[in-house]
Amino acid sequence: MALSGIEIYKLLPRTNCRECKFPTCLAFAMQLAAGKVEISACPHISEEAKAALGEASAPPIRPITIGRGDYALKIGEETVLFRHDKTFEHPTGLAVLIEDTAAPEEINSKLKQLDESQFERVGLTLRADLVALKNTSGKKESFLSLVERVKDTPYGIILMSDDPPIMAAAAEMVKDNKPLLYAATSDNAEAMADVAKTTGAVLAASAKGLDALSELSDRLSKAGVKDMVLDSAPESISQVLYDQTAIRRLALKKRFRSFGFSTIVFPAQLTDDPLKEALYASIMIEKYAGIVVLSDLAAYRTFPLLVHRLNIYTDPQRPMTMSQGIYEVNIPTKDSPLIITTNFSLTYFIVNSEVESSRVPTWLLIMNTEGLSTLTAWSAGKFVPDLIAPFVNKSGIVDKMANRNLIIPGYVAQIKGELEEELGSDWKVTVGPREASDLPSFLQKLAA
């Protein structure tokens, strides 16, 4: 049964030594109760207290990292079933599958897809995370040749083989990259556990059905494997939904340690239709999958999945924002027009896109309104003349322009007169269009 932060605090040394990286023992206890740190972070806790805390202090879903450096993928540490309760912590990792029976051209094509599956969206770079290498041939030489071809990529690596000796040789080649080994089964559990422990890799446990998966997870834990991901080997999308929900619910609500790990799923095993595969992958991203392995990363399917993942794993209580400041669009000069708007990311990117398409050199002034859109910011008193005027004058834009003309969004046309008074007599305020889509024609007429 889970302990409260106060109950855990009573078992701690209460010295506030800060060696756990938290300012007080109480703060550490609260994080421990939330499952965000491990008891081992406290160097002074007694063995008796450690035994007493035991399972109750462990995170309900163990955090796991695959890969190294900037491309390392972290999964796990989730604490809620529903996004409206609290933000999901770590986005689902997307992987592309490459088999060792593939022709060199296909391998090169998929690696190229992996490199090119990077998209800019609201100031963020969205991309796939992992490459999954599968020993379809059953031949050691073919698999190791594929691993050799891919091992120097920055992406995390999933090695897929059911043969422990082949897996051991492959894992040794990429052990510095902390790979994921897929998969231990009831037939090879102990041998795969030895490979994972020797190479420091994460090990996937794969068994058909939740009962068998629970037993296998326990076997691997007893064999000393700490970092695992789970695969219940579903045969339909409805079974995927059932299994993923049951695993998450049992881990969080019942503290069922056998399922206290992230999961891995393979939508391509359920369908040969590329669009259905993408649809299934989107369902799996929503329903708790830690890693989704795709058959390829065609842009028309990958981009929507990356955006979907972004939407699911973005904190709905914190709007995405741009930095306040001056942005140049189409290489503006001293005589170019000046547009001001708010720092809500979606507003910025829509306005920026429309100005770019106009081909009119333009200054874009972005004001911090705490991520609120134009009309909402005005309603909240964050985009009003007595705040806009000082911001404009202190922004440095006056040193870049010869004119003193400012274009405001059409939705706040009512502030024109007051804003001109606040800015001073040398400024002229022009009301722009209400919709960003009308900006190109508006700017082109202005420049004519």
Side-chain angles (χ1 to χ4, degrees):
M1 184 177 175
L3 299 178
S4 69
I6 297 299
E7 290 171 322
I8 293 173
Y9 174 69
K10 292 176 180 176
L11 296 171
L12 297 178
R14 285 178 278 177
T15 57
N16 297 331
C17 68
R18 301 187 178 186
E19 292 184 42
C20 61
K21 312 295 183 189
F22 291 93
T24 64
C25 288
L26 180 58
F28 176 69
M30 293 302 176
Q31 294 296 313
L32 202 56
K36 294 185 176 180
V37 295
E38 294 192 37
I39 190 65
S40 58
C42 176
H44 303 299
I45 192 167
S46 67
E47 289 301 321
E48 292 77 13
K50 195 180 292 184
L53 290 170
E55 292 290 304
S57 63
I61 299 179
R62 184 177 175 81
I64 288 171
T65 301
I66 300 166
R68 301 284 189 191
D70 294 339
Y71 283 73
L73 174 72
K74 190 170 186 180
I75 53 178
E77 274 189 319
E78 304 297 342
T79 56
V80 295
L81 277 170
F82 305 110
R83 181 170 172 266
H84 59 258
D85 289 336
K86 182 177 174 293
T87 309
F88 290 166
E89 294 291 337
H90 300 297
T92 304
L94 296 184
V96 62
L97 178 68
I98 302 178
E99 299 178 81
D100 63 356
T101 52
E105 296 77 16
E106 183 181 350
I107 294 173
N108 291 336
S109 173
K110 289 195 174 182
L111 290 175
K112 186 178 178 184
Q113 279 186 338
L114 189 58
D115 288 334
E116 292 179 348
S117 64
Q118 302 197 20
F119 307 91
E120 290 290 328
R121 174 82 173 177
V122 291
L124 302 174
T125 300
L126 310 182
R127 60 172 173 77
D129 311 279
L130 303 156
V131 54
L133 309 178
K134 186 175 183 180
N135 181 213
T136 306
S137 69
K139 298 176 182 175
K140 181 178 180 180
E141 295 73 20
S142 299
F143 192 45
L144 297 188
S145 175
L146 177 60
V147 175
E148 180 66 28
R149 170 73 180 80
V150 175
K151 71 175 186 179
D152 292 328
T153 63
Y155 306 98
I157 294 176
I158 303 172
L159 299 174
M160 301 177 65
S161 174
D162 57 5
D163 187 313
I166 293 178
M167 184 67 90
E172 185 64 27
M173 293 173 65
V174 294
K175 66 179 182 181
D176 291 339
N177 196 26
K178 196 171 177 57
L180 166 63
L181 312 183
Y182 180 93
T185 64
S186 59
D187 295 330
N188 65 15
E190 280 69 26
M192 283 292 191
D194 288 341
V195 175
K197 288 188 292 183
T198 302
T199 57
V202 180
L203 182 60
S206 179
K208 189 171 178 54
L210 297 182
D211 290 341
L213 185 60
S214 170
E215 291 176 9
L216 179 59
S217 172
D218 291 343
R219 276 177 65 185
L220 293 173
S221 294
K222 288 175 183 174
V225 177
K226 292 185 176 179
D227 292 338
M228 271 189 270
V229 298
L230 305 177
D231 171 29
S232 62
E235 294 182 343
S236 67
I237 190 62
S238 60
Q239 191 64 44
V240 170
L241 278 171
Y242 179 86
D243 289 354
Q244 294 290 313
T245 304
I247 290 171
R248 175 67 68 92
R249 183 175 290 278
L250 286 168
L252 296 185
K253 299 299 182 184
K254 302 297 182 183
R255 291 273 180 160
F256 186 56
R257 300 307 308 162
S258 304
F259 287 165
F261 304 95
S262 292
T263 58
I264 184 170
V265 287
F266 301 84
Q269 291 181 353
L270 305 178
T271 178
D272 294 328
D273 184 329
L275 290 180
K276 270 191 177 179
E277 182 189 351
L279 175 63
Y280 291 171
S282 71
I283 295 170
M284 294 166 178
I285 290 171
E286 281 190 27
K287 280 301 177 185
Y288 314 136
I291 297 171
V292 175
V293 181
L294 300 163
S295 59
D296 66 40
L297 293 174
Y300 75 95
R301 295 188 301 146
T302 307
F303 179 66
L305 289 175
L306 290 169
V307 173
H308 185 56
R309 182 180 70 174
L310 174 68
N311 291 338
I312 295 296
Y313 284 87
T314 299
D315 187 346
Q317 299 180 37
R318 298 176 61 186
M320 301 183 72
T321 61
M322 294 294 298
S323 298
Q324 175 174 279
I326 303 166
Y327 292 79
E328 300 180 7
V329 189
N330 300 330
I331 315 178
T333 66
K334 283 183 172 292
D335 296 318
S336 296
L338 170 65
I339 295 176
I340 188 169
T341 190
T342 70
N343 74 329
F344 179 42
S345 285
L346 194 56
T347 297
Y348 165 79
F349 281 99
I350 291 174
V351 170
N352 184 74
S353 173
E354 296 295 345
V355 174
E356 271 187 351
S357 69
S358 75
R359 300 180 183 275
V360 177
T362 304
W363 297 101
L364 192 54
L365 197 53
I366 300 299
M367 180 175 167
N368 180 13
T369 57
E370 300 179 6
L372 299 179
S373 61
T374 304
L375 202 52
T376 307
W378 171 75
S379 303
K382 299 180 185 299
F383 195 61
V384 290
D386 56 345
L387 294 179
I388 295 174
F391 165 64
V392 171
N393 287 323
K394 293 178 181 177
S395 67
I397 190 63
V398 294
D399 299 328
K400 297 176 180 291
M401 298 179 63
N403 68 72
R404 293 292 180 268
N405 298 325
L406 177 64
I407 301 168
I408 61 174
Y411 277 111
V412 290
Q414 62 273 27
I415 70 172
K416 177 180 182 297
E418 188 180 348
L419 182 56
E420 282 181 335
E421 290 179 12
E422 292 285 347
L423 284 169
S425 58
D426 54 339
W427 278 91
K428 177 185 176 185
V429 175
T430 303
V431 177
R434 290 169 68 94
E435 302 298 335
S437 58
D438 295 327
L439 270 172
S441 59
F442 173 83
L443 289 172
Q444 287 160 2
K445 288 178 184 174
L446 207 63

